[in-house]
Amino acid sequence: MKWRTIQWLRSVADFQQREEQIFLLLSLLIGALTGLAVVAFIVVTERLGMRLYPVGSAAWRRVFIPVAGSLAMGFLLYRYFPYARGSGVPQTKAALFARDGFISLRTVLGKFFCTATTLASGIPLGREGPSVQVGAGIGSVLGRWLGLRPEKVKALIPVGAAAAIAAAFNTPMAAVLFSLEEVVGDMHAPILGSVVLASATSWAVLRLLLGNNPLFRVPQYELVHPLELAIYALLGIAGGFLSVAFTRLLLDMRKFFLKLPKSTQWWHPVVGGVTVGLMGWFVPQVLGVGYGYVGSALNGTMALKLMLILVVFKLFGVTISYASGNAGGIFGPALFLGSMLGGAIGTVAHNLLPGYTATPGAYALVGMGALFAGIVRAPMTSVLMIFEMTRDYAVIVPLMIANLISFFISSQFQKEPIYDALAHQDGIHLPSHGTRDELRQRTVAQVTRSSPQILSAQMSVEDAVEQTRSGRFRIWPVADEGYFFGILNREALECALVDGRKEQLVASLVDTLHVPHVHTDQPLHLALERMSKYRLDVLPVVHRADLHRLEGVVTLPDVLDAYGIDRIGSK
């Protein structure tokens, strides 16, 4: 018997070692495939865009093509690819934290095709966010196809995300930092080696196929005078408030569209297409991602008036396009807005103080980082990304000053980061940074049990009182055909019975708006704190992606048992 036990332990150890080796090889494969996907993304978008907007084409194309493209892609997104809308980063984080790492192959293909066509038609969104979902989706599909455990499949999500950013921006180090800082939320994640491996592989594929060309070609900058640091600080302030305006405008518009009937979703994207088309009739530079114009701002060759116009037009064009449901991200628009804002401030500063300030392009570069830090809320990634783009240390100190100020202002006036807020609007509650730090502690999942008793929402008060009299708890979940309404306590039932409402339905007594609850991956002490706050002995456990899906309950005796506390005097 002892020999069999030893053999079994050896086989388990061998399997775990092979699984780790498979995981590393899979990281290489994901990096290579994601690099190929991003290269295809770039090539398809650019070539299709050149066909739709040939040199010297008529002005009517700038109106007709965005409208037609957004209408056609809106129907495809509604009918065939419902999870391919928007940026891709919130969906990737939702897959990691709420869907056991699941991203379907259909979503990956739909994201690639719909985003490429949308961007080529002139909608001013970015390709980097969608690339993240495509890369993460490649990891998810391969992991499930190989039969890996759900934990390993989830671990492949940030691996694919890092590979996508490395190829999309040509910044492998920033890609690793973004994946850990924003997607995972843990700079000490055990998957660091795999993330680095996939990022380097994807970057190598990009260089092999498209050459070692930086995303933007910029001249070398230097700090002309210490007075410039004050101007960079002002740029950080302006960037922070523009970030807040961008985030709030996007979220408010998206909230409006989400309130419309679901059957109308197929035509929502055309609202963005019409808006962009009308803007493009007067200002063609509004169309598309606009990285060519970013390059002009970085090299100081763009007029002040045009930069100011583009800040306003892009602000509304991007937010309406995203909020209405077009496929595309906000990375690129954040960099565009930052370059135009920084270029405008730099132009004014250089005209007023030519002997004390650098060329406007330096401010455009710092503005890119400030908007990225303020909107995406990844300040460390922003600094490293700009450094990798320029390979110039001289810009680091101004960049850190502007980033810090922009990040602080954005955090003060818009508490919830944009990706978390977007997921929240979709009914998905992503764990906060504080919660992520506690995921390794005791969790709710360890003590979750199926509810000992559930009241039907269609039950009368009289029947509910009869059913609960023999129960040992004071709180009961109320549900009907798998739909969780809320909770009800003994006192509410008895009061309703005394008031003569014995025929009234139980559902009418439930407060469906404010339901105390927890999720399975939250720390156990949070369940105890909420039980204490709301005076509960039973707390419902609901799914992160669907608050009306009851996964079980947590009882006070079980929580106390988990902490080893004797319930003296309990019966």
Side-chain angles (χ1 to χ4, degrees):
M1 187 68 180
K2 184 177 180 181
W3 178 81
R4 289 183 178 178
T5 303
I6 293 174
Q7 288 294 106
W8 180 78
L9 291 174
R10 284 179 178 174
S11 64
V12 170
D14 290 342
F15 174 76
Q16 290 177 343
Q17 185 177 4
R18 286 198 302 270
E19 190 178 40
E20 292 301 323
Q21 293 172 350
I22 292 173
F23 194 84
L24 289 176
L25 291 175
L26 197 55
S27 300
L28 281 170
L29 181 59
I30 290 170
L33 292 177
T34 301
L36 290 172
V38 173
V39 169
F41 217 153
I42 295 171
V43 173
V44 170
T45 303
E46 290 182 353
R47 292 188 177 180
L48 182 58
M50 291 174 64
R51 287 184 176 274
L52 294 175
Y53 294 98
V55 177
S57 58
W60 63 264
R61 286 176 175 264
R62 300 199 296 267
V63 178
F64 174 76
I65 292 177
V67 173
S70 58
L71 184 61
M73 291 305 103
F75 175 76
L76 291 179
L77 289 168
Y78 172 76
R79 183 67 178 84
Y80 299 105
F81 311 112
Y83 296 106
R85 289 173 174 266
S87 166
V89 177
Q91 293 87 342
T92 299
K93 295 172 71 173
L96 176 62
F97 292 107
R99 298 195 176 107
D100 291 327
F102 181 83
I103 300 176
S104 68
L105 180 60
R106 170 184 285 194
T107 297
V108 174
L109 297 176
K111 193 71 172 183
F112 181 92
F113 173 74
C114 291
T115 302
T117 306
T118 297
L119 302 188
S121 67
I123 300 300
L125 299 176
R127 61 174 177 251
E128 294 79 17
S131 297
V132 168
Q133 190 177 9
V134 170
I138 290 173
S140 175
V141 171
L142 288 177
R144 298 196 314 274
W145 181 69
L146 291 174
L148 297 184
R149 292 179 289 116
E151 293 79 9
K152 289 296 183 181
V153 175
K154 289 174 65 175
L156 291 173
I157 297 296
V159 171
I165 292 296
F169 281 119
N170 194 8
T171 54
M173 290 189 294
V176 172
L177 189 58
F178 174 82
S179 183
L180 299 179
E181 182 181 26
E182 176 60 30
V183 178
V184 182
D186 182 4
M187 298 297 292
H188 304 286
I191 57 169
L192 175 60
S194 297
V195 169
V196 171
L197 195 61
S199 176
T201 305
S202 178
W203 176 72
V205 170
L206 175 75
R207 290 192 61 180
L208 181 64
L209 296 178
L210 297 184
N212 188 26
N213 300 314
L215 187 60
F216 304 109
R217 295 187 179 276
V218 296
Q220 294 293 308
Y221 298 120
E222 61 180 11
L223 189 67
V224 177
H225 192 277
L227 175 64
E228 281 194 286
L229 296 178
I231 302 175
Y232 285 119
L234 291 175
L235 175 55
I237 294 173
F241 283 110
L242 182 58
S243 299
V244 173
F246 179 91
T247 303
R248 289 191 175 180
L249 192 60
L250 188 150
L251 293 174
D252 288 345
M253 288 183 179
R254 192 166 186 266
K255 184 179 180 180
F256 167 78
F257 281 104
L258 289 175
K259 286 182 178 179
L260 298 177
K262 193 172 182 179
S263 59
T264 65
Q265 281 185 353
W266 67 273
W267 59 261
H268 291 177
V270 80
V271 177
V274 171
T275 303
V276 172
L278 292 176
M279 290 180 177
W281 176 272
F282 299 100
V283 184
Q285 293 86 347
V286 171
L287 298 175
V289 180
Y291 280 160
Y293 303 112
V294 172
S296 299
L298 292 175
N299 286 276
T301 59
M302 185 168 284
L304 173 62
K305 182 178 179 180
L306 180 57
M307 288 189 288
L308 291 174
I309 291 174
L310 287 176
V311 168
V312 177
F313 275 31
K314 275 281 188 175
L315 174 65
F316 287 97
V318 170
T319 52
I320 293 175
S321 295
Y322 189 101
S324 59
N326 285 281
I330 59 176
F331 278 18
L335 297 178
F336 186 99
L337 282 170
S339 67
M340 296 303 149
L341 176 68
I345 291 176
T347 300
V348 173
H350 192 66
N351 289 339
L352 295 176
L353 303 168
Y356 295 90
T357 58
T359 58
Y363 295 88
L365 185 64
V366 173
M368 288 169 61
L371 262 291
F372 191 93
I375 293 174
V376 182
R377 300 281 182 88
M380 294 299 294
T381 300
S382 173
V383 171
L384 187 55
M385 182 179 294
I386 300 300
F387 168 69
E388 281 194 277
M389 287 179 180
T390 61
R391 299 175 177 88
D392 184 3
Y393 278 108
V395 77
I396 293 297
V397 173
L399 185 62
M400 293 177 67
I401 292 173
N403 278 15
L404 180 62
I405 294 174
S406 176
F407 179 81
F408 175 77
I409 291 175
S410 177
S411 301
Q412 290 298 308
F413 290 92
Q414 173 61 38
K415 299 294 184 182
E416 192 172 24
I418 189 167
Y419 289 135
D420 292 353
L422 289 170
H424 200 171
Q425 285 185 337
D426 291 331
I428 299 172
H429 290 230
L430 298 173
S432 64
H433 288 286
T435 302
R436 293 170 185 164
D437 294 337
E438 298 172 329
L439 288 178
R440 295 190 184 93
Q441 301 178 9
R442 292 187 181 94
T443 61
V444 171
Q446 296 170 353
V447 297
T448 299
R449 61 158 72 180
S450 58
S451 179
Q453 194 172 31
I454 295 179
L455 298 181
S456 171
Q458 304 304 317
M459 180 183 292
S460 68
V461 170
E462 183 178 23
D463 292 338
V465 170
E466 278 296 321
Q467 183 175 323
T468 59
R469 276 178 178 167
S470 59
R472 64 191 184 99
F473 296 107
R474 296 175 47 254
I475 303 297
W476 296 274
V478 177
D480 187 33
E481 296 182 354
Y483 186 91
F484 174 61
F485 285 81
I487 58 176
L488 202 57
N489 59 37
R490 190 192 304 273
E491 289 78 11
L493 285 171
E494 292 178 347
C495 286
L497 189 64
V498 171
D499 292 343
R501 294 179 288 164
K502 63 180 181 179
E503 298 299 330
Q504 188 172 338
L505 296 181
V506 167
S508 64
L509 303 180
V510 179
D511 181 3
T512 58
L513 296 179
H514 303 93
V515 183
H517 65 271
V518 288
H519 304 294
T520 55
D521 62 351
Q522 289 182 318
L524 192 55
H525 69 77
L526 182 63
L528 190 60
E529 291 170 3
R530 290 185 179 174
M531 285 181 175
S532 173
K533 178 180 179 180
Y534 295 101
R535 301 291 180 182
L536 305 176
D537 57 358
V538 175
L539 190 63
V541 181
V542 299
H543 196 270
R544 280 198 178 275
D546 186 359
L547 298 181
H548 297 289
R549 176 177 162 188
L550 184 68
E551 295 192 312
V553 296
V554 174
T555 68
L556 182 58
D558 289 339
V559 174
L560 296 178
D561 283 342
Y563 284 106
I565 301 174
D566 293 328
R567 302 187 305 281
I568 301 175
S570 62
K571 297 182 180 179

